[in-house]
Amino acid sequence: VQLVESGGGSVQAGGSLRLSCAASGFTFDGYAIGWFRQGPGKEREGISCISRSDDSTYYIEEVKGRFTISIDNAKNTVYLQMNNLKPEDTDVYFCAAEPYLPANYHCSGHGSSPNDRYWGQGTQVTVSS
């Protein structure tokens, strides 16, 4: 079982990036998949999640209207389209997958079991002003 993120990089404020999270060893059927970010000295935060368990999506307020999460079932890949990036979006971004949770629970950790959650290795996003 593996999750591999890609698509990070450096952009100027107002720019866009698309992150990809490709899964191998399992399919997303029944899973919640989410994007989390973490900066130095900060806790990891769920910012956008999508659930194949109940077809729900979730975004934190800070990214609503700027970020869009989507799934390509044929490619077993989840994307995060990030537009109008801001310097405060600079972080390491991780994807995670966990079975049988709605999107908001996966992002918040409510009802989550660490033993059931798969993580990717992370990809750096840097936004300069």
Side-chain angles (χ1 to χ4, degrees):
V1 172
Q2 193 175 22
L3 296 171
V4 178
E5 302 98 334
S6 61
S10 297
V11 296
Q12 290 192 325
S16 297
L17 286 171
R18 189 177 78 158
L19 304 183
S20 300
C21 173
S24 59
F26 73 108
T27 68
F28 288 142
D29 291 343
Y31 274 76
I33 310 96
W35 287 97
F36 298 72
R37 65 187 182 187
Q38 186 173 22
K42 297 192 298 182
E43 291 198 1
R44 194 170 295 187
E45 174 187 38
I47 61 169
S48 180
C49 294
I50 187 166
S51 176
R52 291 290 313 280
S53 178
D54 66 354
D55 293 325
S56 59
T57 57
Y58 173 82
Y59 299 90
I60 60 170
E61 284 298 321
E62 292 93 315
V63 307
K64 278 184 180 178
R66 301 190 297 123
F67 292 7
T68 303
I69 192 169
S70 61
I71 291 180
D72 185 328
N73 293 314
K75 295 183 178 179
N76 216 29
T77 298
V78 170
Y79 302 98
L80 185 68
Q81 178 66 44
M82 305 187 296
N83 297 328
N84 191 23
L85 282 160
K86 303 175 181 180
E88 51 264 42
D89 294 318
T90 296
D91 268 328
V92 179
Y93 284 68
F94 301 85
C95 70
E98 188 168 5
Y100 311 126
L101 284 181
N104 58 340
Y105 278 27
H106 184 50
C107 265
S108 68
H110 183 78
S112 173
S113 172
N115 292 335
D116 292 336
R117 182 173 281 196
Y118 304 131
W119 288 99
Q121 81 288 352
T123 185
Q124 176 70 46
V125 171
T126 303
V127 185
S128 58
S129 57

